[in-house]
Amino acid sequence: MCKDEHHPTRRTDIGRRALFVTSAAAALTLNSVSFASADDGDGRSQETTRTVRGTLPTGSPDYVYLPLEVPDGVRELHVSYSYAKPSVPPGTQGNALDIGIFDERGTELGGAGFRGWSGGARSEFFLRADEATPGYLPGRVRPGTWHLALGPYTVAPEGLAYEITVTLRFGEPGTTPRPGYPPERAAGRGRDWYRGDCHLHSWFSDGKRTPAEIAALARAAGLDFINSSEHNTPSAHAHWAEHAGDDLLILLGEEVTTRNGHVVALGTDPGTFIDWRYRARDNRFGHYADAIRRAGGLVVPAHPHATCIGCNWKFGFGEADVVEVWNGAYTPDDEVSLADWDSTLQSAGRGGRWTPAMGNSDAHRDPDRIGGPQTVVLADDLSRTAILAGLRAGRSYVAESAAVSVGFSATGGRGLRAG
């Protein structure tokens, strides 16, 4: 095993490590890591491993890239990492380091190079043609310069010491299966009120439940539709088809988890990836909101007043199609979100813009309750097109559970009635 020491340096030392500014946030690029090629002398598959250590200081950029020079003939790429988690005084941020990877097509924002993201949910992952760790996309490990993407979410005062081990295994690459996706229409009941939960997490990001478990709990909660919304990855999309049915429509999307707030991309085309590597100051959100809509989806700011680091919404609501005003168990930040939304109703009454509201569970694991809350939408049928149209038009209400229903009716002379 070969070992390298990688340490970020000051900006003046750009000859060895480049601090570059993309069209979004600044990013630090470390020295590249090279690997030995396969030894085919004995006709057996071989592997090569490199370990990299370094320390990220406080004030590090949002993303640090570690280039990997991948040779030809690699069957599988495996990454494991760890980092120091020192004790810190109350009120002081500790260490948290996210991770993902981009292939030889590059790290350009919104580009084709994205191959997976697990954030801080996993300490290791692998990719190969036929399979990949949840959160990552299967496909061939082609030769070229790949990039590990490190996200120092928070850094302790003494810095964030990390260790990364990359193993390449050589051999026949295998075949990538053609993905299958859930149908865009379920049997439904024609024009009716349909119940859905559009903010859910499985083990394809930081949730603990499988898609099968989520689908079963959704049916038990009386839901008619759900939306796949993993953090910064569409990797779950190809794993939902077998769990859909005439009684459950499964929409596909992503929770785009930026450092300045989260947005649910709701009901996008299968396989759609929406980039998250920007802040409000980068003036990129409008571009990616348009990308969500071009993919047929809705732009839904999630838990806009949540208190977790990076959760508070800072992009404004001009691009929102719907806003999530109730997220999981009702808490003071939901009260603020609801009051904020209510104030927009008053301005809308004076000719301003009105944005529909919705509620979702954001369920990750037990005891998080799927369908608590849920959004009930009037739609022409139980289909992706009809459900999104109903949400976009605001023909909906938010309920604590399937036990809650709201009815509206008006009566007039000569037996006239509308509901």
Side-chain angles (χ1 to χ4, degrees):
M1 178 184 294
C2 300
K3 295 181 182 291
D4 282 352
E5 295 287 336
H6 280 240
H7 298 279
T9 57
R10 291 184 291 272
R11 291 188 64 170
T12 54
D13 189 15
I14 59 175
R16 291 190 297 119
R17 295 169 179 82
L19 177 63
F20 65 89
V21 178
T22 68
S23 59
L28 178 69
T29 299
L30 305 176
N31 284 342
S32 62
V33 178
S34 297
F35 297 84
S37 298
D39 180 7
D40 295 323
D42 57 7
R44 293 181 299 173
S45 297
Q46 302 293 312
E47 67 179 45
T48 180
T49 297
R50 299 295 295 270
T51 293
V52 176
R53 298 184 181 91
T55 300
L56 299 174
T58 56
S60 291
D62 289 347
Y63 301 100
V64 176
Y65 295 103
L66 175 62
L68 308 174
E69 302 299 335
V70 176
D72 195 13
V74 174
R75 177 179 65 89
E76 179 179 298
L77 183 153
H78 181 276
V79 176
S80 63
Y81 82 117
S82 61
Y83 57 92
K85 299 178 182 178
S87 299
V88 294
T92 302
Q93 293 180 355
N95 283 333
L97 183 63
D98 294 341
I99 197 168
I101 195 167
F102 292 79
D103 66 20
E104 85 288 349
R105 291 171 291 183
T107 61
E108 180 183 0
L109 280 177
F114 175 80
R115 288 296 294 274
W117 180 258
S118 51
R122 288 182 168 79
S123 60
E124 60 182 317
F125 65 87
F126 75 90
L127 301 95
R128 61 176 187 256
D130 62 335
E131 195 176 356
T133 298
Y136 295 81
L137 303 176
R140 290 195 174 193
V141 182
R142 296 179 292 267
T145 302
W146 289 53
H147 289 82
L148 281 178
L150 306 177
Y153 192 61
T154 55
V155 179
E158 56 264 60
L160 193 159
Y162 62 86
E163 179 178 294
I164 303 169
T165 298
V166 182
T167 298
L168 304 182
R169 298 185 173 98
F170 297 92
E172 291 299 319
T175 303
T176 303
R178 183 174 182 175
Y181 301 111
E184 296 191 3
R185 172 175 276 102
R189 303 177 296 274
R191 183 174 174 82
D192 206 345
W193 292 91
Y194 294 101
R195 295 177 177 270
D197 186 349
C198 294
H199 188 167
L200 297 162
H201 297 280
S202 76
W203 66 3
F204 283 88
S205 58
D206 61 344
K208 297 298 184 184
R209 292 166 172 150
T210 65
E213 290 170 331
I214 290 173
L217 290 169
R219 288 180 165 97
L223 299 181
D224 302 295
F225 65 93
I226 59 175
N227 179 66
S228 174
S229 53
E230 310 295 355
H231 293 285
N232 298 340
T233 177
S235 66
H237 289 190
H239 298 270
W240 280 108
E242 64 183 293
H243 309 298
D246 286 346
D247 61 335
L248 185 65
L249 174 71
I250 299 179
L251 305 174
L252 303 175
E254 177 187 331
E255 183 174 8
V256 185
T257 308
T258 82
R259 296 298 183 89
N260 283 166
H262 303 183
V263 59
V264 173
L266 198 169
T268 53
D269 294 333
T272 297
F273 164 63
I274 303 297
D275 215 318
W276 74 95
R277 295 169 294 158
Y278 44 87
R279 288 181 179 248
R281 65 182 178 228
D282 300 314
N283 196 30
R284 299 295 291 167
F285 179 68
H287 172 80
Y288 290 103
D290 286 343
I292 293 171
R293 284 189 281 265
R294 285 196 302 271
L298 300 181
V299 178
V300 186
H303 44 65
H305 292 282
T307 57
C308 48
I309 296 172
C311 293
N312 194 262
W313 186 254
K314 296 184 179 180
F315 294 101
F317 295 95
E319 296 286 353
D321 296 308
V322 188
V323 62
E324 188 182 76
V325 301
W326 185 353
N327 175 278
Y330 197 79
T331 54
D333 61 278
D334 295 303
E335 187 70 32
V336 175
S337 295
L338 184 60
D340 209 23
W341 177 78
D342 182 70
S343 68
T344 68
L345 298 182
Q346 299 183 45
S347 63
R350 298 189 295 271
R353 182 175 181 269
W354 173 68
T355 305
M358 74 182 311
N360 301 300
S361 71
D362 199 1
H364 285 70
R365 59 188 66 83
D366 292 337
D368 297 352
R369 184 169 62 87
I370 289 175
Q374 55 192 245
T375 302
V376 191
V377 56
L378 179 63
D380 290 334
D381 62 7
L382 186 54
S383 68
R384 172 190 174 193
T385 300
I387 292 295
L388 296 186
L391 290 170
R392 187 184 296 109
R395 298 192 297 266
S396 57
Y397 63 89
V398 181
E400 185 270 343
S401 71
V404 178
S405 295
V406 177
F408 301 91
S409 63
T411 57
R414 289 185 275 185
L416 295 176
R417 184 181 183 278

